[in-house]
Amino acid sequence: MELGKINRYSTINDTGKIKVGWWTIKNYDYARHPNPGVIDLVYLFEHSSNVASVIVAQMMNKFEYHDMLKKFGFGERTGIDLSGESSGLLKSPAKWDSADHASMGYGYGSSVTAIQMVSAVSAIANDGVRVTPHVIKYSPEEEAIKIKKVQVMTPEHARIITDLLTESINRGHSPIKSDSYNIAAKTGTSIKPKENGAGYTNKLYTSIVGYMPSSDPQVLIYVIVDSAQGGEIWGNTVAAPIFKEISTQVAHILSLQPDKVKL
């Protein structure tokens, strides 16, 4: 969107599966919904469309895409005032192949830390401004030196993304949907990689990241569940109920002003 490749009203032909090089990528619900057809961006977020995400990623060349990921802080330390921070993993675009480029679109091909994800999503909540995360309350003089503020996207585009995420929650059946607050959020489900070598385990990471009230964001919550066990294991079924409980308590503790009009 920031590069002018898509806009709020863009539609994408979601065929349910797409071939990239030697690899066929499918939507998670391909067996039940093999061909969603022409979808909008709200549908993309609500249904976590891998195919539509790949198509959007392919609208950018790999250098454009890599530059945007770097703007949002992936592949480098955020500068948080805690020791031992990792820079995560983000390959040089010169080393990307078509599969890397495509899989980046729906969250594979790189490795990010929790604080990197929080920093990046907070920038969307914060009218496109990414702020150095910190746990220490600095004096104004120290803050000017230690805390950087970088405009990574326009306020208009940040607000559009917030609106799309919010509508995807309000339109669907997410467990985090609230009667009092608009919430901008996205779930995630990914296969857990092996810790000592290439390849993947048979375990999953499930997650959800979101902020509220989305009309005037005050708090961001990121929930990650490592190797959940049981029946349906997805971000929406495992991590989202935890988000719901935390967000309900936080809204009460902080006395957040509701931004949904009750009819």
Side-chain angles (χ1 to χ4, degrees), residues 95-109:
K95 297 180 179 178
W96 287 14
D97 58 22
S98 60
D100 291 323
H101 191 147
S103 62
M104 288 277 184
Y106 59 95
Y108 282 84

Side-chain angles (χ1 to χ4, degrees), residues 63-81:
F63 297 101
E64 289 175 325
Y65 195 4
H66 184 270
D67 285 349
M68 288 306 300
L69 291 170
K70 291 290 283 187
K71 275 189 176 183
F72 278 89
F74 297 123
E76 59 189 39
R77 294 182 179 90
T78 65
I80 190 171
D81 41 16

Side-chain angles (χ1 to χ4, degrees), residues 48-178:
S48 299
S49 171
N50 290 340
V51 170
S53 299
V54 167
I55 291 170
V56 172
Q58 291 174 331
M59 292 177 185
M60 299 174 279
N61 68 48
K62 60 186 180 181
F63 297 101
E64 289 175 325
Y65 195 4
H66 184 270
D67 285 349
M68 288 306 300
L69 291 170
K70 291 290 283 187
K71 275 189 176 183
F72 278 89
F74 297 123
E76 59 189 39
R77 294 182 179 90
T78 65
I80 190 171
D81 41 16
L82 294 169
S83 61
E85 184 184 9
S86 167
S87 60
L89 298 172
L90 180 63
K91 278 202 268 188
S92 162
K95 297 180 179 178
W96 287 14
D97 58 22
S98 60
D100 291 323
H101 191 147
S103 62
M104 288 277 184
Y106 59 95
Y108 282 84
S110 62
S111 176
V112 307
T113 66
I115 197 63
Q116 283 175 333
M117 184 66 77
V118 165
S119 175
V121 178
S122 292
I124 302 172
N126 195 36
D127 286 337
V129 177
R130 187 161 67 88
V131 180
T132 305
H134 52 286
V135 297
I136 297 171
K137 186 172 178 62
Y138 294 105
S139 67
E141 294 76 20
E142 288 179 307
E143 183 174 322
I145 297 170
K146 296 178 181 292
I147 309 302
K148 294 180 181 178
K149 297 181 179 180
V150 182
Q151 189 86 43
V152 297
M153 67 191 304
T154 66
E156 178 190 8
H157 288 152
R159 174 47 56 183
I160 291 171
I161 298 299
T162 294
D163 290 346
L164 293 170
L165 289 169
T166 302
E167 190 176 345
S168 76
I169 298 299
N170 288 336
R171 183 196 286 185
H173 303 284
S174 173
I176 75 168
K177 192 192 295 190
S178 166

